[in-house]
Amino acid sequence: MTTDLSSTIPGIDTARRVLRLLRDRAAPEEYRALLEGCPAADVAQVHALVEDALHVRDQLEERRRREDELAALYETAGDLSSLRDLEAVLQAIVRRGRVLLAADAAYLMLHDAQRNDNHVRVTDGIRTDAFKRARLAMGAGLGGLVAKTAVPYNTPDYLRDARFEHTVDDVVGDEGLIAIQGVPLKLGEKVIGVLFAANRSSRPFTDHEVALLVSLANHAAIAIENATLFEEVRRAVDDLTEANAVIQAHSASVEQAAALHERLTNIVLHGGGMADIAQNLADVLGGSILVLDADGRVMAAIGDDPVVERARADGTLPEASQAARAVREACVLSIESRRTRRIPGSEPGTAACATPIMAGAEVLGCVALVGDRLDAGDIRSLERAALVTALVLLSERSVAEAEHRLRGEILEELLGTPHRDPEGLRRRAALMGLDLIRPHTVLAARCRGDGHRRTVADAATAFATREHGLAGEYRGDVIVLLPGDHEPGPTARTLANYLTQAVGDPVTAGATSVGPGLDALTEGHRDAAQCLCVLLALDRDGDGATSDELGIYGLLFSQTGGDELHRFMQRTIGPVLEYDDRRGGELVRTLLAYFACDSSLTRTAAHLYVHVNTLYQRIDRITTLLGDQWRHGDHALQVHLALKIHSVLSAP
C-alpha cells in the first residue's frame, strides 16, 4: 500500500526549500517568503511547516551560539592559563569580556585590603582618565554593592536606578556609560574584585549574558590567583637569586680578605716593609697602591697608573692631571677627617679611595687605592691593610727609637771621659760595627733650632750606615763616626748637603780626622764640635769644613785657650757687652751688621731695618764706649775679631 505524500504535506519541493534554508542559516524573512504565492488550500500547512522550521532554526542558532561561547570561554581559559604576567592577565580578561558580550566597554576593579575599597585596575574601551583612576567604597555604586554582597548586579540605566548608592555619577556620566553589569571575582568565598561590561546605550542584559560574564569571571579569578602566585614565586626566586649573589659576593670578599690577611700577617712576621704591603695589596685588589706619610711623602708606590708612576719618581703626589687631583683630594681628606674617603674619577680608572693609617689618635699617613673597581670589599681590605701598615710603622718606629737610644748611649761612652772600661767599650762598639783600632773621621752636624734634631739624626744614620759608620745625638749635636781614611773637608760638605736636602733647612757640619783609640775619638769630637760652632758663628749655615779650612778663626780656637780668648774679648769689646747686658741693647748686633756690610752705614741701616738716624745714635754710643779709633786700621780688625770670638763662645 502506498501513501500519497502530496495529500499529507504541501509538496516535496516546499520541504526541500525549507531544508535548504536551514542548511544555509537563512534569515527568518526568507522562511516567511514561502507563504507568498502558496495556494490558499496549502497556506495553513505551509505556515505550520515554516513555524516548525523557524523553531528548529532558533534551537540550532542557540546551540551554535552556546558552542561559540563555550569555545570562546575555552580559548579564554587557555589564554589566561598561559599568561604569567599579572598585568597581561588583567588586560586579557577585560578584553575578552568586552568581546564576548559585544559591549562598548569593559573594566575590572580590584579590592584594596589596606583602604577597604575597590579601585579601577584595568580598562578596555574607557576614554576618560578620571574613570581609570576611580575608587568605590564597599557597598557604594553597582561595583561596591557587588563587591560587598558577592552577587552579580546589572542595570539597563545606571544613573536612574534607585537600587544603588550613587557616589561616582559624575565619573560615569562623563564616560557616557548607561547600561552596566558587574559580577564578582571570587576565590572561594573571598571577593577579590569585580568584572564589568558596559554600554553607552540603554540595553538590558539577559540572564545568558550574565551567566557568560560570571563564567569568564570564574576563569579570570583563577588566572589572577595563578598569575599572583607566579609573580610571588618569581619575586621569591629573584630575591633568592639576589641573596645568592650577595652571599657569593660576600663569600668572595671574605676569601679575598682572608687571603689578604694571610699575606699581611706573613709580611709582619717576616719583617716586611711598606713596599711589601703595597705590592700584596695591589696583587689582591688589582689596582695601583700608594702609601703616604702624614706629610704627603711617598713611602711606597705600586702599579702602572700614571699618577702612581709619577709619585714613585717624584716622591710626592703630582698635581697636574684630574686623576692626580682626585687621588690627592682623597688622601688629604682621609688624613684630615681620619676617615676613609672615596673620590669618583671623571675619567675611567681615575677613581680613588684613601684610608688613614692610625695609631691611636695619631695619624701616621694614608693608604690609597687607584682604579676602576672600588667596591665595599675593596674598601674593607684597604682599611685592614691600613691597620697592618700602622703596626709595621709602629714597629719600625720602636726599632728606630731603640737603635737611636743605643747609638746615643754608645756615643756617650765613646766620647765622654773618663773611660772606665775601655775593653768592654771596644766590644760594645764592635757590636755596632765600629773598629776602634782603625782611624776615623769625626763629624758634628747641627741645624739651627731644635725642631729638626731627630730628623737630622735619622738622616745622618742613613748616611753613616751607607759608609759602615755610626751616627747619633750627643750633647745637642748629631755626631757621625766614619771608619777609614776620608778627606774630612769634602766629607763634611757632602754630609752637610745630604742632611740639608733631607731636612729642607740648612744643616752645618764640622769635621776632623783622628787616629785609632778612644782618646783620639774624644779629642776629634771636641775639634769637630768647635769647628761647627765657628761655622755657625760665621753665618756659614749649610756649609761643611775642618778647622784648617777656617783660616785665622780655626787657628785661634785651636791654639789659644778659652781663658785667653775671653780676656781678649773683654779688653776689646767688654764695655759694649756690658752695655747690652745692662740695658738690653743692640750694640753687638749693630757692630756685626756694620762689619758684614763693609762699614756702609746706609746698607747697615737697611740690614737692621732701622732709620739711619737710629744707626748714627748707636754708632755714637759705641764710639763713646770704645773710643774714636775702633773704626780704623788694626783697631777695627781687633773689634771684628772679638765680635766673632764672642759669637763662637756664646753659641749653644
Side-chain angles (χ1 to χ4, degrees), residues 261-273 276-277 388 391-392 395:
H261 180 75
E262 182 177 356
R263 290 186 177 211
L264 296 178
T265 301
N266 287 332
I267 290 173
V268 174
L269 293 178
H270 293 86
D276 300 311
I277 294 176
V388 175
L391 290 175
V392 172
S395 176

Side-chain angles (χ1 to χ4, degrees), residues 72-127:
L73 281 175
Y74 180 79
E75 182 182 357
T76 298
D79 291 344
L80 294 178
S81 63
S82 66
L83 296 175
R84 293 293 180 265
D85 181 68
L86 179 59
E87 189 68 26
V89 168
L90 298 177
Q91 289 289 350
I93 290 170
V94 295
R95 189 162 48 250
R96 292 289 180 146
R98 183 183 180 190
V99 172
L100 285 176
L101 272 71
D104 294 330
Y107 55 98
L108 185 147
M109 301 186 84
L110 290 181
H111 181 65
D112 188 337
Q114 292 183 341
R115 299 177 59 169
N116 194 30
D117 65 0
N118 306 277
H119 65 283
V120 175
R121 184 66 170 78
V122 289
T123 65
D124 190 69
I126 296 298
R127 303 165 182 166

Side-chain angles (χ1 to χ4, degrees), residues 282-613:
D283 292 342
V284 172
L285 300 184
S288 296
I289 301 297
L290 276 173
V291 184
L292 307 178
D293 65 14
D295 296 323
R297 291 186 292 266
V298 177
M299 293 190 286
I302 300 296
D304 55 4
D305 183 86
V307 176
V308 176
E309 290 181 343
R310 181 70 181 274
R312 182 166 52 240
D314 297 346
T316 58
L317 280 175
E319 299 182 2
S321 66
Q322 178 68 30
R325 285 193 289 271
V327 177
R328 177 177 291 277
E329 183 178 357
C331 293
V332 171
L333 288 177
S334 70
I335 291 175
E336 291 180 349
S337 65
R338 304 188 178 191
R339 296 172 58 187
T340 299
R341 292 293 185 175
R342 180 176 178 178
I343 303 297
S346 59
E347 302 172 1
T350 61
C353 181
T355 190
I357 304 171
M358 301 289 297
E362 182 183 2
V363 180
L364 304 178
C366 71
V367 182
L369 170 63
V370 184
D372 289 314
R373 182 179 63 87
L374 298 176
D375 56 24
D378 295 334
I379 295 175
R380 286 193 295 271
S381 296
L382 198 65
E383 292 172 344
R384 186 174 292 106
L387 290 175
V388 175
T389 304
L391 290 175
V392 172
L393 287 176
L394 289 177
S395 176
E396 291 180 351
R397 178 190 289 181
S398 298
V399 171
E401 289 177 350
E403 292 179 348
H404 181 78
R405 187 167 52 253
L406 185 59
R407 288 192 297 268
E409 291 174 355
I410 195 68
L411 284 174
E412 186 74 35
E413 294 186 60
L414 286 172
L415 304 180
T417 54
H419 300 121
R420 295 186 177 86
D421 183 11
E423 290 302 320
L425 183 55
R426 289 188 179 92
R427 289 194 299 272
R428 289 193 295 276
L431 294 175
M432 299 293 294
L434 286 179
D435 185 358
L436 299 183
I437 65 174
R438 298 180 61 190
H440 284 77
T441 298
V442 183
L443 302 103
R446 187 190 308 167
C447 181
R448 291 190 189 271
D450 295 329
H452 296 302
R453 183 180 299 175
R454 181 59 184 270
T455 307
V456 173
D458 292 340
T461 299
F463 181 88
T465 301
R466 188 178 62 192
E467 301 294 335
H468 307 290
L470 175 68
E473 292 186 52
Y474 180 69
R475 297 185 180 179
D477 293 332
V478 174
I479 306 301
V480 179
L481 303 180
L482 300 180
D485 295 325
H486 294 80
E487 289 291 335
T491 303
R493 285 182 283 277
T494 300
L495 177 63
N497 291 333
Y498 179 85
L499 297 180
T500 297
Q501 292 180 5
V503 175
D505 284 322
V507 180
T508 311
T512 188
S513 292
V514 298
L518 292 173
D519 294 336
L521 283 179
T522 303
E523 188 64 29
H525 164 256
R526 186 179 300 110
D527 291 344
Q530 189 66 62
C531 179
L532 172 63
C533 291
V534 173
L535 285 170
L536 292 173
L538 296 175
D539 294 326
R540 291 173 58 178
D541 295 56
D543 196 1
T546 65
S547 296
D548 294 341
E549 296 172 334
L550 294 179
I552 188 173
Y553 297 106
L555 181 62
L556 281 173
F557 284 97
S558 62
Q559 301 295 328
T560 307
D563 293 339
E564 293 182 16
L565 291 175
H566 271 287
R567 285 194 293 272
F568 170 75
M569 183 177 64
Q570 287 297 325
R571 284 197 310 268
T572 307
I573 60 171
V576 173
L577 298 176
E578 183 181 352
Y579 181 89
D580 278 356
D581 289 340
R582 188 175 67 252
R583 302 282 186 92
E586 294 279 341
L587 299 184
V588 171
R589 180 166 168 264
T590 301
L591 282 170
L592 286 171
Y594 174 78
F595 286 113
C597 295
D598 298 326
S599 304
S600 170
L601 295 178
T602 303
R603 289 167 54 195
T604 303
H607 181 82
L608 294 172
Y609 298 101
V610 299
H611 194 273
V612 174
N613 292 337

